[in-house]
Amino acid sequence: MVLPLQTFGQVNFANAQLGDKRRTNRLVQLADSMARRPSGTLPQKFNSPKDLRAFYRLMDRDQVTHEAILASHREATWHKIKQIRGPVLILHDATELDFTNHKSLSDDMGQIGNGNRRGYIAQNSLAVNPKTRQVIGLCNQVLHHREDAPKDELTAQKRKRESRESRLWLRGADPLANSEKLVDVCDRGADTFEFLEHELASGRRFVIRASHNRAIIPGHGDQGSSDQACYLRNYAASLPPAGHWTLSVTSKVDKKVRVRKGKKKSANRRAREAKMAVSFAPVQIKPPAKKLGEHGNDPLAVWVVRVWEEDPPAGEERLEWFLITNQPVLDFEDAYQVVGWYECRWIIEEYHKGMKTGCSIESPQFTSEERLQPAIALISVVALTLLQMRDASRRWDAKKRKATEVICSDYVSVLSAWRHGQIKPDWSIHDFFYALARLGGHQNRKSDHPPGWQTIWRGWNDLQAMLCGVDAMKIVKRCGQT
């Protein structure tokens, strides 16, 4: 028997425990509506006033919480993870959600930015298939309030404070299964001795970009000697390359200027083919002399992997990363695999752009955190559809699969009319994605790289504006003012 395909809402929220089955059914329906039109404000997501009122009523129920909505999606994500052979990456990172303009919530929100803004620090844990780089789902989300730390707070007091921001890495990873199938991937913010010790005891594998030049002992066990104590970066930089490969580096234009060692430096980068090298070694990380987190005093046995660009062009900053992992690294293939895992970390940054730029997650107007937080959970899950649209455009069947299976037919009609002067309801997801890129400025030439997310967001925002224009014209026609 062939089972009917499930909708986005059914896959992610059919098992939501909201105290009443009718509420769950309503959540499924609203999630499907939002997934078809993920952009814009809530009235733009639900262009039916009836659906918008239903959404507000649902968010107003005490049983509809951030955790209740996220738990159902998390269950669906774990089910997908179990179907995948091989490792699954869990990408961890935080982003700020700015609700400063929500005056009724300003007293309840924490500090963000330079301290003058109010909102949440959202710590997200995103599951990704490293082979296909396709997004699987959201494994966890923590909405954190940054509190004012006491001016006279002692180090020991800060170490024990529950709201300490460095605990976010532990809180984000705590609900994850203790399985070697999962690989936690984190940027430099996670490089704390407390979190490294936690990860070694978790049963999972991890790759963390080193932030500190920590004191280490080269080697593991009997191989190491306290007499050989040195520093991680210095030691890794002294190791000979174990292998090479060529990396295509895309151009980057950034208006911000970084200041490093007293000198201003532009973040602009030219496209190039970079010759990369990698080295590795087992080491033991010594506990810091000043204890900032809650951890033991034993050295941590890990591997350090250094990846760098040999002979960068004049005027270009060298590409270089120092990675810490508990994945055994015995040869070039092992090191290259670890580097590949870390290279997937940018996907969560694109997810955060999707949450804020693509889905306008900071736009809902609620007067209480209890109503705002479940809305954040729902929009965070819907934001995955934008990444999944990109993934769908790269699948082997992208040129045959209808775009309307992934995106709302209104979007397909408007974009195809712009591109070809006529509506093409049978457009493929490949046609839709590359037309969207064209709208964002991509030329779609054979020599061009695949469109980047900045281009896609520009196209998506323009398409949303076009769709709003179409909706406005419908209203004008109904009023008889053509």
Side-chain angles (χ1 to χ4, degrees):
M1 181 177 66
V2 179
L3 297 176
L5 292 175
Q6 290 184 303
T7 66
F8 170 85
Q10 290 169 338
V11 169
N12 292 286
F13 302 112
N15 295 323
Q17 301 299 310
L18 306 179
D20 191 312
K21 185 63 178 176
R22 290 172 295 181
R23 292 187 194 126
T24 301
N25 292 339
R26 175 64 71 183
L27 175 62
V28 168
Q29 177 189 351
L30 293 171
D32 283 333
S33 297
M34 189 181 287
R36 285 192 291 269
R37 297 173 66 113
S39 272
T41 62
L42 289 176
Q44 292 169 330
K45 289 177 170 62
F46 303 110
N47 61 348
S48 164
K50 179 181 177 182
D51 286 344
L52 182 59
R53 289 194 298 269
F55 177 78
Y56 285 134
R57 286 196 301 270
L58 185 65
M59 296 298 106
D60 199 39
R61 301 300 180 187
D62 291 340
Q63 297 87 345
V64 181
T65 64
H66 179 272
E67 175 56 27
I69 288 181
L70 198 60
S72 179
H73 168 70
R74 188 188 295 123
E75 180 183 337
T77 300
W78 288 127
H79 178 73
K80 294 176 185 177
I81 288 174
K82 290 178 181 177
Q83 311 306 312
I84 296 174
R85 292 184 178 181
V88 170
L89 307 183
I90 310 296
L91 312 180
H92 301 270
D93 201 9
T95 188
E96 293 182 344
L97 302 182
D98 192 341
F99 294 100
T100 304
N101 295 328
H102 294 54
K103 301 303 181 183
S104 60
L105 294 173
S106 59
D107 292 339
D108 300 323
M109 295 288 171
Q111 297 181 47
I112 59 172
N114 60 8
N116 296 324
R117 313 293 293 176
R118 310 295 292 183
Y120 294 114
I121 298 174
Q123 179 79 12
N124 292 310
S125 302
L126 191 68
V128 170
N129 185 333
K131 289 184 178 179
T132 62
R133 299 199 173 185
Q134 291 185 347
V135 174
I136 302 168
L138 195 60
C139 293
N140 198 23
Q141 182 181 75
V142 178
L143 299 180
H144 175 72
H145 292 80
R146 177 184 287 156
E147 298 181 356
D148 294 328
K151 292 182 179 180
D152 56 350
E153 185 178 45
L154 301 176
T155 300
Q157 293 173 322
K158 180 178 180 180
R159 188 166 59 236
K160 294 179 180 179
R161 179 159 48 86
E162 288 298 322
S163 62
R164 174 164 49 87
E165 203 163 309
S166 54
R167 289 186 188 271
L168 270 178
W169 298 100
L170 285 81
R171 292 173 62 192
D174 270 347
L176 304 180
N178 298 334
S179 169
E180 284 193 350
K181 182 184 182 74
L182 304 181
V183 183
D184 292 322
V185 180
C186 312
D187 206 10
R188 289 175 287 193
D191 181 15
T192 68
F193 195 87
E194 178 182 47
F195 186 64
L196 289 170
E197 184 182 73
H198 172 274
E199 287 293 282
L200 280 169
S202 71
R204 298 185 297 275
R205 291 176 282 179
F206 66 84
V207 179
I208 297 173
R209 185 177 178 183
S211 177
H212 306 290
N213 195 17
R214 296 183 178 277
I216 63 165
I217 302 171
H220 285 173
D222 296 337
Q223 300 174 6
S225 170
S226 57
D227 296 335
Q228 298 175 288
C230 54
Y231 292 92
L232 185 140
R233 289 174 180 265
N234 305 67
Y235 177 65
S238 71
L239 299 171
H244 298 85
W245 72 96
T246 300
L247 176 69
S248 295
V249 180
T250 58
S251 60
K252 177 183 177 182
V253 178
D254 197 332
K255 295 180 181 179
K256 295 181 180 179
V257 175
R258 294 169 292 173
V259 177
R260 182 172 294 176
K261 295 182 179 180
K263 297 181 179 180
K264 291 184 177 180
K265 192 165 188 177
S266 170
N268 292 348
R269 183 179 66 200
R270 291 179 296 174
R272 62 184 185 274
E273 295 296 308
K275 183 180 179 182
M276 306 300 294
V278 67
S279 61
F280 59 89
V283 299
Q284 298 174 65
I285 296 178
K286 300 175 68 175
K290 186 176 181 180
K291 199 171 186 178
L292 300 179
E294 296 182 319
H295 56 75
N297 298 313
D298 295 328
L300 306 179
V302 295
W303 278 262
V304 60
V305 176
R306 179 195 177 211
V307 54
W308 74 99
E309 179 184 12
E310 293 188 333
D311 301 320
E316 293 290 331
E317 185 178 4
R318 180 194 301 274
L319 302 176
E320 185 175 32
W321 301 275
F322 295 88
L323 307 177
I324 301 171
T325 182
N326 62 343
Q327 168 72 8
V329 182
L330 306 178
D331 53 31
F332 170 75
E333 286 71 23
D334 292 339
Y336 189 71
Q337 180 184 52
V338 168
V339 174
W341 287 346
Y342 182 76
E343 285 179 344
C344 292
R345 203 201 66 82
W346 63 269
I347 296 174
I348 195 168
E349 295 182 0
E350 301 302 336
Y351 169 66
H352 289 158
K353 293 176 186 175
M355 288 172 60
K356 294 196 268 190
T357 305
C359 290
S360 304
I361 199 168
E362 297 162 321
S363 68
Q365 300 292 321
F366 287 96
T367 57
S368 72
E369 284 192 273
E370 291 77 15
R371 306 286 74 85
L372 175 62
Q373 289 187 358
I376 289 174
L378 176 57
I379 297 173
S380 296
V381 176
V382 170
L384 296 170
T385 61
L386 300 179
L387 290 174
Q388 290 164 347
M389 176 188 70
R390 178 206 61 184
D391 295 339
S393 72
R394 297 175 177 178
R395 283 171 50 94
W396 61 272
D397 60 348
K399 293 185 178 181
K400 296 182 179 179
R401 187 179 182 189
K402 293 181 65 174
T404 50
E405 294 180 17
V406 180
I407 201 71
C408 176
S409 59
D410 289 347
Y411 283 87
V412 177
S413 298
V414 171
L415 187 59
S416 60
W418 169 83
R419 185 71 181 90
H420 298 293
Q422 59 180 317
I423 295 175
K424 290 184 174 291
D426 293 331
W427 240 15
S428 70
I429 185 61
H430 179 272
D431 295 330
F432 180 90
F433 185 80
Y434 277 89
L436 187 65
R438 185 66 175 266
L439 184 61
H442 193 263
Q443 296 303 303
N444 295 1
R445 295 169 298 200
K446 290 183 179 181
S447 59
D448 290 336
H449 289 286
W453 274 109
Q454 293 296 336
T455 302
I456 294 301
W457 292 136
R458 286 197 298 268
W460 187 261
N461 288 333
D462 287 351
L463 179 58
Q464 178 62 40
M466 292 161 64
L467 195 66
C468 289
V470 170
D471 289 341
M473 289 304 300
K474 290 179 181 178
I475 295 173
V476 171
K477 287 184 179 180
R478 284 201 300 268
C479 294
Q481 300 175 1
T482 55

